[in-house]
Amino acid sequence: MGPLRYSINVTLDGCCDHRAGVADEDLHRHAVENLERADALIFGRITYEMMQAAWRPPMRTGERPDWMEPFARTIDAAKKYVVSSTLDRVDWNAELVRGDLGKAVQQLKRESGKGLLVGGLQLPLALAELGLIDEYEFVVQPRLVGHGPTLFAGLSKLIDLKLVSRLEFESGAVAMRYEPRK
């Protein structure tokens, strides 16, 4: 069974707004490494639509730095599953996931070799509630923003984690990976 990994950027004061973080070459390279550790991505509707709008080709020349291209190519090519009860169809190498979330994700984990990577806020909250996330990665940005959505708002139970790795970037960001304590 492949693991389900969650990765998210968060500021020091807990903001998870994608516009609040630092977008640099090191962090994009790290994101490519995360994508390459998974057979597929699993997104909720909001994250899927946001990522598709930002990364689906074609992108006009000069709209982003050259160092973003490996990430753009990797996420474009990745298999994607989209959990949504409101979308009628998806494309961009994606399939809709409907019905019982727990059963659907358990089935995907059984089929997966390297595992799945999930991003966003609402879907990971639901997956954490179901105890389906095998690894949490928080890329803590050295920034205070004073606003925005926060992680796991409304979580109904404590989830104790143990630190399994830590990686510091030149920007001052720190990627910390945790696994749930059993």
Side-chain angles (χ1 to χ4, degrees):
M1 182 179 288
L4 175 59
R5 296 180 187 99
Y6 173 51
S7 182
I8 188 86
N9 286 286
V10 59
T11 62
L12 280 167
D13 59 349
C15 176
C16 296
D17 185 325
H18 68 279
R19 298 164 293 189
V22 176
D24 67 13
E25 189 169 358
D26 282 345
L27 291 171
H28 275 79
R29 188 178 310 112
H30 180 71
V32 168
E33 291 168 4
N34 277 343
L35 292 171
E36 290 173 342
R37 292 177 60 212
D39 296 312
L41 307 174
I42 184 166
F43 293 142
R45 179 192 57 80
I46 293 169
T47 302
Y48 168 74
E49 289 177 342
M50 180 184 71
M51 297 302 268
Q52 183 181 36
W55 298 106
R56 184 177 187 158
M59 184 60 89
R60 291 190 301 273
T61 307
E63 277 201 21
R64 58 181 168 225
D66 289 344
W67 51 260
M68 285 186 176
E69 289 310 310
F71 179 82
R73 284 190 304 273
T74 305
I75 197 164
D76 180 53
K79 171 72 179 161
K80 300 162 194 79
Y81 295 98
V82 181
V83 176
S84 175
S85 60
T86 58
L87 291 175
D88 293 325
R89 63 178 195 82
V90 292
D91 55 10
W92 195 43
N93 305 324
E95 264 178 57
L96 273 174
V97 174
R98 296 195 190 271
D100 183 291
L101 177 63
K103 287 180 184 174
V105 171
Q106 286 172 338
Q107 179 62 37
L108 290 172
K109 287 174 70 170
R110 277 193 290 277
E111 294 172 6
S112 184
K114 293 188 285 184
L116 299 163
L117 180 64
V118 65
L121 292 175
Q122 293 176 8
L123 178 59
L125 172 61
L127 295 169
E129 289 281 0
L130 294 169
L132 292 173
I133 298 177
D134 301 297
E135 180 180 281
Y136 295 79
E137 179 186 64
F138 305 106
V139 180
V140 181
Q141 302 280 333
R143 184 173 274 179
L144 302 172
V145 296
H147 72 275
T150 59
L151 288 173
F152 301 105
L155 187 67
S156 69
K157 60 186 175 189
L158 292 175
I159 300 175
D160 289 317
L161 304 172
K162 68 176 180 180
L163 182 66
V164 294
S165 71
R166 180 175 180 231
L167 177 63
E168 294 182 30
F169 298 94
E170 276 190 46
S171 66
V174 179
M176 295 177 289
R177 286 196 175 136
Y178 294 87
E179 292 176 353
R181 291 191 187 272
K182 304 288 181 193

